[in-house]
């Protein structure tokens, strides 16, 4: 095994980890935004804070801190439009991933098992193919490369791909750090400590409105 391959395998593991961490943070924040809003409303009520006036006056600021759920776009028939795919990676790297996906297809496409008894092992391969296809189409390169590695499918060349993976890891880590600065995340970290949650709300009120309790 060459040093480039060793580095590649290590980077894939790191990429899978940060993708998992980002998914966890996003899942937490879905609920944490609601928890923050509920505690914010209750705190203002308990302390006679003119929440309606503050919300109206600082609507734009509040929407940045407490993201509002996006309404799904629908077409003329009322069918929800799919989310747009993220921007594609550089052409050179896209070619590498496309080539690897074709290798996945040749190895475990469900058609290969159409005339065979469906054993647990074959079922696992079929599910793996579905996972590879989904992650490839959504450009979740962490999951995609992890599946490729399990199938012993590696890039034919490593020049460029390792640096792209490093950049991806760096960008995801920055996203995670940014999201963990949100007031909603701070509420989540308070767990069941009500006084901690009150301090988060006080900080929120002062930072956005210069309002001291």
């Amino acid at each position: 095994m060459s040093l480039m391959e060793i580095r590649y395998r290590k980077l894939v593991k790191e990429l899978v980890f940060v993708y998992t961490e980002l998914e966890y943070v996003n899942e937490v924040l879905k609920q944490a935004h609601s928890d923050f809003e509920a505690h914010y409303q209750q705190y203002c009520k308990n302390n006679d804070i003119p929440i309606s006036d503050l919300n109206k006056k600082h609507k734009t600021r509040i929407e940045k801190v407490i993201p509002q759920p996006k309404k799904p776009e629908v077409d003329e028939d009322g069918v929800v439009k799919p989310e747009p795919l993220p921007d594609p990676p550089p052409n050179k790297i896209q070619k590498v991933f496309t080539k690897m996906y074709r290798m996945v297809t040749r190895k475990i496409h469900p058609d290969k098992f159409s005339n065979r008894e469906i054993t647990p092992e074959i079922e696992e391969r079929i599910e793996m193919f579905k996972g590879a296809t989904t992650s490839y189409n959504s450009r979740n390169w962490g999951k995609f490369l992890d599946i490729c590695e399990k199938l012993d499918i590696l890039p034919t060349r490593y020049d460029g791909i390792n640096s792209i993976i490093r950049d991806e890891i760096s960008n995801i880590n920055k996203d995670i750090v940014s999201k963990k600065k949100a007031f909603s995340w701070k509420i989540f970290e308070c767990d069941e400590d009500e006084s901690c949650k009150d301090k988060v709300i006080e900080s929120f009120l002062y930072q956005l409105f210069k309002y001291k309790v």
Side-chain angles (χ1 to χ4, degrees):
M1 187 183 298
S2 68
L3 286 176
M4 292 292 283
E5 183 178 334
I6 292 171
R7 290 193 187 101
Y8 167 79
R9 289 180 181 273
K10 180 177 181 295
L11 285 168
V12 169
K13 286 182 172 60
E14 288 181 24
L15 185 59
V16 171
F17 175 81
V18 295
Y19 265 115
T20 303
E21 178 70 7
L22 180 61
E23 287 175 357
Y24 166 71
V25 171
N26 286 337
E27 196 61 34
V28 166
L29 286 176
K30 283 181 185 178
Q31 180 61 42
H33 290 321
S34 298
D35 291 347
F36 176 89
E37 175 66 19
H39 201 84
Y40 169 60
Q41 296 278 349
Q42 189 61 48
Y43 181 89
C44 290
K45 182 179 179 181
N46 293 344
N47 292 275
D48 296 322
I49 296 172
I51 186 171
S52 297
D53 293 341
L54 290 173
N55 287 348
K56 186 176 180 180
K57 186 177 180 180
H58 304 282
K59 181 180 178 181
T60 303
R61 290 183 184 176
I62 290 176
E63 287 178 350
K64 287 181 179 178
V65 177
I66 311 175
Q68 303 301 308
K70 289 170 60 178
K71 292 183 179 179
E73 293 186 38
V74 296
D75 59 22
E76 298 174 350
D77 299 321
V79 178
V80 176
K81 295 181 180 179
E83 289 285 334
L85 290 174
D87 293 335
N91 288 337
K92 183 179 178 182
I93 302 306
Q94 178 67 55
K95 288 179 181 178
V96 174
F97 291 152
T98 300
K99 188 172 183 179
M100 293 173 73
Y101 180 70
R102 286 173 182 159
M103 293 168 72
V104 170
T105 300
R106 286 198 296 269
K107 203 163 191 176
I108 60 169
H109 192 283
D111 287 350
K112 290 177 64 68
F113 314 116
S114 58
N115 296 322
R116 295 170 58 181
E117 180 184 353
I118 303 300
T119 63
E121 182 181 357
I122 289 177
E123 283 184 351
E124 183 180 352
R125 290 282 172 128
I126 291 172
E127 289 303 312
M128 192 176 286
F129 179 77
K130 290 178 182 177
T133 301
T134 300
S135 57
Y136 176 80
N137 287 336
S138 63
R139 302 191 178 101
N140 185 328
W141 305 125
K143 288 184 178 179
F144 176 70
L145 294 176
D146 185 45
I147 291 171
C148 288
E149 190 170 1
K150 288 174 181 175
L151 294 168
D152 202 26
I153 293 172
L154 302 170
T156 52
R157 298 178 63 181
Y158 296 100
D159 53 321
I161 192 168
N162 282 356
S163 62
I164 290 293
I165 295 175
R166 285 193 196 94
D167 289 344
E168 182 80 349
I169 291 169
S170 176
N171 290 335
I172 293 172
N173 276 325
K174 287 176 184 176
D175 193 18
I176 291 170
V177 169
S178 175
K179 287 179 175 179
K180 285 187 175 181
K181 290 180 180 178
F183 284 101
S184 299
W185 183 266
K186 293 175 183 177
I187 284 285
F188 164 72
E189 288 186 320
C190 287
D191 199 15
E192 300 300 322
D193 188 339
E194 295 300 315
S195 63
C196 173
K197 292 180 180 180
D198 286 347
K199 288 178 181 177
V200 172
I201 300 301
E202 289 169 10
S203 176
F204 168 77
L205 287 166
Y206 182 75
Q207 186 170 324
L208 263 73
F209 314 134
K210 303 302 179 190
Y211 190 99
K212 289 187 178 181
V213 179

